[in-house]
Amino acid sequence: MGPGLYSDIGKKARDLLNKDFHTDQKFTLTTYTSSGAVHFSVRIIIQSQFDCNAITAASTKKNEAIFSEVQAKLKQKNVTVDVKATSDSLLLTTVTVEEFGVPGLKKIVTIPFPNQTAGKAEVQYLHDYAGINASFGLNTKPLVNFSGVLGNKAIAVGADVAYDTATGDFTKYNAGLSFTNADLIAAVTLNNKGDSLTASYYHLVNAEKNTSVGAEVTRSFSSKQNTVTFGTQHALDPSTTVKARYNSNGMASALIQHEWRPKSFFTLTTEVDTKAFEKSSKVGLSLVLKP
């Protein structure tokens, strides 16, 4: 019920304008267990047995490249362990501890392999009137990130900074402001070290039909260019949703998403460059299965 984290500022509009607009081919399969043991093998080399909440296998084809990953999520009381193996030989382990000693406090440790020096420790704290996120790299000269938001569920103001201890420079400093009521969310953020200003707007027109509209305007002060994106979504029925968006660069996108069973989605996306119709349009397909 509080202001959330800094990443939540403008998130509703970003999700409306960007979420599920994939022009790749993607397949995701997730299986769940309540408390039973799960056997699985990776490349027929490693075989393990443990209590597991979910195992997800995903594969994405982009152009001629195929990227795949297998992810296992285990949860015991307030501790969640997430292990992900990818096709580019990366093993990523994330340990999350909820309610870490204080209500609203969360601790997250991420360790990649083989590059363990790229690991990160993170702390999040959510309060009725504040949201704080701090992280630092697990190496001798880490990158330190800090973001904080003050306010409530109606209005919030926040800042997001990053400091590189190796160079002694601030690599990022952003600021944001958001206003929220029952059916409208407006946000303004200053990004890229003050070089760009983004204003976003989200309006829930009809809650029953999940009909909403949104827009985002970004002004780059260095290039003196403006980018405008607007979009909408509407539920044709309780299981089928359509979305569309268009930006000032002439890119038009549309998608239709059908939930053919609970938590299982089929999404078809198309994108057209209206300023160059001679180019082939892009078509994306996503299938998410969660038995």
Side-chain angles (χ1 to χ4, degrees):
M1 299 300 292
L5 299 174
Y6 183 84
S7 57
D8 294 323
I9 296 179
K11 185 176 184 300
K12 270 288 189 179
R14 289 196 304 271
D15 285 349
L16 173 65
L17 299 174
N18 299 299
K19 188 177 180 180
D20 296 322
F21 283 100
H22 302 295
T23 55
D24 309 315
Q25 286 72 51
K26 184 176 182 179
F27 174 77
T28 303
L29 174 64
T30 301
T31 61
Y32 296 92
T33 65
S34 56
S35 59
V38 174
H39 293 271
F40 75 99
S41 61
V42 179
R43 295 182 183 175
I44 322 177
I45 297 177
I46 303 174
Q47 189 169 32
S48 301
Q49 179 178 358
F50 49 75
D51 290 338
C52 180
N53 292 94
I55 293 180
T56 300
S59 181
T60 302
K61 181 181 180 182
K62 186 173 184 179
N63 298 324
E64 297 302 320
I66 297 178
F67 178 80
S68 301
E69 62 182 39
V70 177
Q71 182 176 4
K73 181 175 291 187
L74 305 89
K75 188 169 185 178
Q76 182 66 30
K77 294 182 180 179
N78 66 327
V79 179
T80 302
V81 179
D82 196 311
V83 182
K84 180 189 297 184
T86 67
S87 56
D88 53 1
S89 302
L90 175 65
L91 182 66
L92 189 67
T93 303
T94 303
V95 181
T96 304
V97 183
E98 304 276 356
E99 307 297 328
F100 187 63
V102 178
L105 184 64
K106 179 190 297 186
K107 182 180 180 181
I108 305 170
V109 177
T110 303
I111 301 176
F113 181 84
N115 186 17
Q116 296 93 328
T117 58
K120 183 177 69 171
E122 183 177 355
V123 175
Q124 294 180 2
Y125 178 64
L126 291 173
H127 185 269
D128 289 342
Y129 302 103
I132 297 173
N133 188 94
S135 66
F136 58 90
L138 300 177
N139 51 57
T140 56
K141 294 182 179 180
L143 179 68
V144 181
N145 289 269
F146 176 84
S147 64
V149 179
L150 297 175
N152 52 35
K153 62 180 181 180
I155 188 169
V157 59
D160 180 28
V161 297
Y163 179 75
D164 190 344
T165 59
T167 62
D169 296 326
F170 283 95
T171 60
K172 175 178 66 175
Y173 40 86
N174 305 322
L177 171 68
S178 70
F179 171 79
T180 304
N181 67 13
D183 58 359
L184 185 147
I185 302 175
V188 178
T189 56
L190 189 63
N191 305 307
N192 301 322
K193 299 181 180 180
D195 181 63
S196 64
L197 182 69
T198 298
S200 64
Y201 165 84
Y202 171 88
H203 183 203
L204 181 61
V205 179
N206 187 321
E208 182 180 353
K209 292 292 186 179
N210 195 25
T211 304
S212 58
V213 296
E216 184 180 82
V217 180
T218 299
R219 169 69 174 180
S220 175
F221 299 114
S222 58
S223 64
K224 298 181 180 180
Q225 291 183 342
N226 297 323
T227 303
V228 182
T229 306
F230 58 89
T232 183
Q233 74 174 20
H234 175 73
L236 300 177
D237 56 52
S239 301
T240 308
T241 299
V242 292
K243 295 177 66 175
R245 70 176 180 186
Y246 180 81
N247 65 29
S248 55
N249 295 322
M251 302 303 296
S253 304
L255 70 81
I256 181 168
Q257 184 176 79
H258 179 68
E259 186 178 16
W260 56 280
R261 60 179 298 168
K263 298 182 180 180
S264 294
F265 297 91
F266 172 82
T267 306
L268 182 65
T269 308
T270 183
E271 182 181 77
V272 178
D273 188 347
T274 61
K275 295 183 178 180
F277 281 108
E278 67 277 6
K279 295 182 180 179
S280 299
S281 60
K282 296 180 179 181
V283 178
L285 177 64
S286 175
L287 182 60
V288 178
L289 304 178
K290 294 185 179 182

